Amino acid sequence: MKFIAYNVRQDEQNYFEKWAKENAVPVKLVTEELTDENLPLAKGYDAVISFQTGVYPSDLFDKLASYGVKDISIRNVGVDNLDLASAKANKIAVTNVPAYSPNAIAEFSVATLLQLLRNQNIYRKRMAKNDYRWAPFVGKEIRALTIGLVGTGRIGKAALEIYRGFGAKVIAYDPYHDPKLEAQGLYVDTLEELVSQADVVTLHMPGSEGYLIDEALIKKMKPGAYIINTARGSLIDSKALLEALKAGRLGGAALDTYEYETPIFNHDLEDIGVKDELFNELVALDNVVMTPHIAFYTETAVENMVTIALDSAKAVLETGTAPTLVE
C-alpha cells in the first residue's frame, strides 16, 4: 500500500510525515495541485490524496483507473468539482473530510461580521491617514440583530451556539431539519422568509447548482442587511451583490470565498495584480470584508484534514469502505 498526495503545503508536511511513519505507509508528497501534466505521477500508487477547490482534469478517473488507483481521498468537504459518476463507473472510491473543524469556520464567520458591524475597514483607512475621529460611523451589536442561518449542519450549529452566546435572536433555514433545532422552533419554511426577517444572512451549506443568493432574493432582504459567506463562492451572484452594496440596499458583506476565486486565492499576485474587475470593485468597498478562503485555516483543522483523508484512504483499501465515503 502506498499513497501520493498533491498540493501539499508546508504547513501540512509534518502531519503527512508523522502519519506515514505511524502507519508504515509510504506517502509521496507533491507540492503542485493535480493537473493533466502531473497526473501520471500517480501510476503505481493505490490512493491519491488531493486538495483543490478548482478544476480537476476532465479524464481524472479514467486515467486513475488505468494507473491502478483505487481511491481518491480529498482533504476538504466539497465534491462538486469531482465527476462522481465517472468515479463510480471506474470503480474508484471517493472520500472527503466532512468536518475538519466546524468551530474554525463558525468562529471566523462571526469574526468577519464583527468587523463589518464595527466599521473596521473605515477606521483602518482613517488611522492610516492619522485621522482618529469616530463619527459618523457608529457600530451595531450582535445581540440587537436577528441572525439568519442558512444550513444547520456541523458548521451552522457551531455558529448558532456562538450567536446565542452573544444574545442574538437566531432563525434558520435548511431543507433537512435537525430534530433538536426543530423542537426549539428555529426553522422558517422558506429561504425567502428567512431573508425577509434576518439582519444577517450567514451561509453554511455546500455548493449548489445555480445561485442560492441571486438578484431576486437580494431584493427581498431587509434594507441594510449583511451577508456572510464562508461556504462556497458559487452560492452568491457576485455581480448582483456588488450592485446591491453600491446602491446601499445592503449594509455589507463578509466574503471568505468568491465566485471566481480559483486564479486569485492562494496565489501571490503582488507583481501582476488581479485582473478581475468585479473582484477589485468588491474589495475596494468599505463595507466588504474579503479574505482568501482562510476560514478553515487553523492548526487543528489542517491536522484533521490530513489525518482524516489518509485514514479514509487506508480504510477503503483495507476494508472497501470508510466512514467518509462519498456515495
Side-chain angles (χ1 to χ4, degrees), residues 80 85 120 128 205 210 216 224 237 240 255 262 283:
D80 47 299
Q120 290 298 292
M205 60 176 291
D237 182 339
L255 308 172
T262 301
V283 172

Side-chain angles (χ1 to χ4, degrees), residues 53 230-233 255-258 261 265 291-297:
T53 56
T230 54
R232 285 288 190 182
L255 308 172
D256 184 55
T257 181
Y258 169 63
E261 71 181 47
F265 290 171
T291 47
H293 212 140
I294 56 170
F296 78 96
Y297 199 40

Side-chain angles (χ1 to χ4, degrees), residues 27 32 40 49 80 89 128 147 149 160 166 180 193 209 222 228 234 238 254 267 283 298 319:
V27 182
E32 295 80 20
I49 317 298
D80 47 299
I147 309 297
L149 290 174
L160 168 63
F166 276 95
K180 291 182 180 179
E193 187 178 351
E209 293 212 7
K222 290 180 68 173
I228 314 297
S234 59
S238 302
H267 298 287
V283 172
T298 65
T319 69

Side-chain angles (χ1 to χ4, degrees), residues 76-88:
N76 53 294
V77 179
V79 296
D80 47 299
N81 57 345
L82 287 169
D83 186 344
L84 297 180
S86 179
K88 184 176 182 180

Side-chain angles (χ1 to χ4, degrees), residues 241-250 281 285 287:
L241 174 63
L242 175 64
E243 293 306 315
L245 290 165
K246 288 167 63 177
R249 292 198 303 274
L250 295 180
E281 281 196 69
L285 294 176
N287 58 347

Side-chain angles (χ1 to χ4, degrees), residues 150-173:
V150 182
T152 54
R154 296 177 180 90
I155 299 170
K157 283 199 277 285
L160 168 63
E161 292 307 312
I162 296 172
Y163 282 118
R164 279 178 165 169
F166 276 95
K169 177 184 177 181
V170 181
I171 59 176
Y173 171 76

Side-chain angles (χ1 to χ4, degrees), residues 211 233 236-246 255 258-261 264-265 274-285 288 290:
Y211 296 124
I236 299 178
D237 182 339
S238 302
K239 185 176 180 180
L241 174 63
L242 175 64
E243 293 306 315
L245 290 165
K246 288 167 63 177
L255 308 172
Y258 169 63
E259 188 177 358
Y260 310 110
E261 71 181 47
I264 303 172
F265 290 171
V274 176
K275 309 303 181 186
D276 184 334
E277 290 307 315
L278 176 57
F279 176 85
N280 291 334
E281 281 196 69
L282 279 167
V283 172
L285 294 176
V288 169
M290 181 79 79

Side-chain angles (χ1 to χ4, degrees), residues 16-273:
F16 273 108
E17 292 172 350
K18 179 183 176 184
W19 186 94
K21 183 177 180 180
E22 291 176 349
N23 290 272
V25 175
V27 182
K28 179 179 176 61
L29 306 183
V30 179
T31 58
E32 295 80 20
E33 69 176 21
L34 206 161
T35 64
D36 287 308
E37 287 72 27
N38 62 27
L39 184 55
L41 293 176
K43 289 179 181 177
Y45 288 90
D46 299 294
V48 167
I49 317 298
S50 181
F51 175 88
Q52 60 197 68
T53 56
V55 178
Y56 281 95
S58 58
D59 57 352
L60 173 66
F61 292 104
D62 294 333
K63 289 284 182 62
L64 291 181
S66 71
Y67 300 160
V69 173
K70 304 171 186 66
D71 170 85
I72 181 166
S73 187
I74 61 171
R75 308 193 297 280
N76 53 294
V77 179
V79 296
D80 47 299
N81 57 345
L82 287 169
D83 186 344
L84 297 180
S86 179
K88 184 176 182 180
N90 282 288
K91 298 182 180 179
I92 295 176
V94 177
T95 65
N96 68 345
V97 182
Y100 30 86
S101 181
N103 276 76
I105 298 170
E107 289 176 8
F108 192 89
S109 67
V110 179
T112 55
L113 172 61
L114 282 167
Q115 291 183 60
L116 285 175
L117 296 179
R118 304 306 294 268
N119 302 300
Q120 290 298 292
N121 280 349
I122 293 171
Y123 286 117
R124 275 192 288 268
K125 290 177 182 178
R126 279 191 165 193
M127 290 178 67
K129 298 185 293 184
N130 285 324
D131 181 350
Y132 301 99
R133 292 174 297 168
W134 307 340
F137 302 104
V138 63
K140 293 182 172 69
E141 297 181 22
I142 287 179
R143 66 175 179 167
L145 305 177
T146 296
I147 309 297
L149 290 174
V150 182
T152 54
R154 296 177 180 90
I155 299 170
K157 283 199 277 285
L160 168 63
E161 292 307 312
I162 296 172
Y163 282 118
R164 279 178 165 169
F166 276 95
K169 177 184 177 181
V170 181
I171 59 176
Y173 171 76
D174 195 313
Y176 308 98
H177 288 193
D178 180 288
K180 291 182 180 179
L181 299 185
E182 188 163 31
Q184 297 170 24
L186 256 67
Y187 288 108
V188 296
D189 294 329
T190 66
L191 188 56
E192 288 77 9
E193 187 178 351
L194 180 136
V195 302
S196 69
Q197 298 180 34
D199 300 295
V200 177
V201 176
T202 179
L203 307 182
H204 302 288
M205 60 176 291
S208 60
E209 293 212 7
Y211 296 124
L212 183 76
I213 307 292
D214 58 11
E215 182 180 7
L217 194 71
I218 289 173
K219 288 180 178 178
K220 295 178 182 178
M221 294 178 68
K222 290 180 68 173
Y226 298 85
I227 292 180
I228 314 297
N229 187 11
T230 54
R232 285 288 190 182
S234 59
L235 292 172
I236 299 178
D237 182 339
S238 302
K239 185 176 180 180
L241 174 63
L242 175 64
E243 293 306 315
L245 290 165
K246 288 167 63 177
R249 292 198 303 274
L250 295 180
L255 308 172
D256 184 55
T257 181
Y258 169 63
E259 188 177 358
Y260 310 110
E261 71 181 47
T262 301
I264 303 172
F265 290 171
N266 205 26
H267 298 287
D268 183 356
L269 305 178
E270 184 176 2
D271 292 334
I272 63 173

